[in-house]
Amino acid sequence: MINTKIHKSVYELAEKLMKAADKDDREAFNSLYAELKAVCTDNENTDKDHPEQWETLADFEEEIEDALPGYEKALGKAVAMDLKDHMSSIAFSMATLQIELGQTDVAIKSLENAKISADRIDDKELKKEIDELLEKLLAGQTTSTRP
């Protein structure tokens, strides 16, 4: 379970980052992002380390290529802690970025992993999103391999 104080800090920073992004306030965004990154690195490999903070950091990466390693780090921490809800949401986020990069096969694997993790969570909406996206990608593969 994530430390309550850290959860609140990460949540508040995420809200502020969203507002800065909405206002296109680059200076505020960069400052807040640096603050969030500091929270992550300060807590890394301590009892306060949690995949949620790393997932949030990856959510605010501006370049897809930079976000994927962040999600991979978050996923590794979620797997180590056996946090199925985080494992499924992180793998789903990774898949959406992999699709944008044209990495359909990798995205399918991420979605299959997300689906396995999601079997043991209560979030019906996330389960539905995972199933629908996986079904869409698999249907696209079938269609594209026909002569």
Side-chain angles (χ1 to χ4, degrees):
M1 183 174 205
I2 189 167
N3 176 294
T4 305
K5 195 172 164 183
I6 293 170
H7 175 75
K8 184 177 179 190
S9 172
V10 169
Y11 182 79
E12 287 173 357
L13 284 168
E15 283 187 328
K16 290 176 184 177
L17 278 159
M18 290 295 293
K19 288 177 185 174
D22 288 344
K23 292 178 184 176
D24 204 21
D25 185 345
R26 170 69 52 208
E27 188 176 323
F29 183 90
N30 290 342
S31 174
L32 292 163
Y33 181 84
E35 197 175 329
L36 177 59
K37 190 170 187 171
V39 168
C40 293
T41 55
D42 289 349
N43 295 321
E44 189 167 17
N45 300 321
T46 72
D47 61 339
K48 296 178 182 178
D49 200 2
H50 196 277
E52 187 173 320
Q53 61 195 15
W54 295 101
E55 180 179 10
T56 304
L57 185 66
D59 288 343
F60 287 101
E61 278 290 350
E62 295 187 82
E63 300 298 325
I64 294 172
E65 294 82 7
D66 296 333
L68 280 171
Y71 284 125
E72 288 170 5
K73 184 175 215 167
L75 184 59
K77 292 179 183 296
V79 168
M81 297 172 80
D82 197 32
L83 299 172
K84 302 295 185 192
D85 52 342
H86 289 286
M87 290 164 59
S88 51
S89 69
I90 294 165
F92 179 77
S93 294
M94 288 176 64
T96 60
L97 295 182
Q98 291 160 338
I99 291 166
E100 284 186 53
L101 291 171
Q103 301 173 351
T104 306
D105 292 340
V106 179
I108 289 170
K109 184 68 178 157
S110 291
L111 287 168
E112 289 171 342
N113 290 335
K115 184 177 175 81
I116 291 167
S117 299
D119 282 343
R120 296 185 29 217
I121 66 170
D122 295 328
D123 188 339
K124 290 180 178 25
E125 186 60 35
L126 178 59
K127 288 179 180 184
K128 182 180 175 187
E129 288 181 59
I130 292 166
D131 287 342
E132 288 174 353
L133 188 54
L134 182 57
E135 187 177 305
K136 179 181 172 185
L137 291 181
L138 292 172
Q141 272 197 330
T142 306
T143 313
S144 66
T145 57
R146 289 186 185 153

